[in-house]
Amino acid sequence: MASQRADAASGSHQADRVVRLAALSDPALVLSYGLVDDAPTAVASPLCLNMFTADARSLDVRPYRGVALADTVVHELKVA
């Protein structure tokens, strides 16, 4: 199931539950809908791949790319 982009202006009240980031794999992958005007357009549009990692410089995104992805975004998480 695809995730939704975190956007306060979207009017959506759905969220992905994350209890602890430490419980996720590195990298953790989340598919999300892109920024579009309405839900029918979002469902018909290509998905975006969001990758969460502690070390963005050494992450090779090529193995995770799909043929129909609209975008790939790497988010570097600070490890405490």
Side-chain angles (χ1 to χ4, degrees):
M1 179 183 304
S3 174
Q4 293 193 20
R5 193 176 292 264
D7 182 5
S10 72
S12 174
H13 299 288
Q14 299 174 0
D16 297 309
R17 184 174 182 211
V18 177
V19 178
R20 293 179 315 143
L21 291 175
L24 299 175
S25 64
D26 190 347
L29 311 176
V30 175
L31 290 173
S32 67
Y33 293 111
L35 294 175
V36 293
D37 293 332
D38 54 35
T41 304
V43 172
S45 298
L47 296 172
C48 297
L49 174 62
N50 292 275
M51 304 182 74
F52 297 85
T53 183
D55 185 9
R57 288 182 300 246
S58 66
L59 179 63
D60 181 7
V61 299
R62 290 176 296 178
Y64 304 101
R65 290 287 316 189
V67 294
L69 290 174
D71 194 12
T72 299
V73 181
V74 177
H75 307 271
E76 187 167 43
L77 302 174
K78 301 293 183 194
V79 179

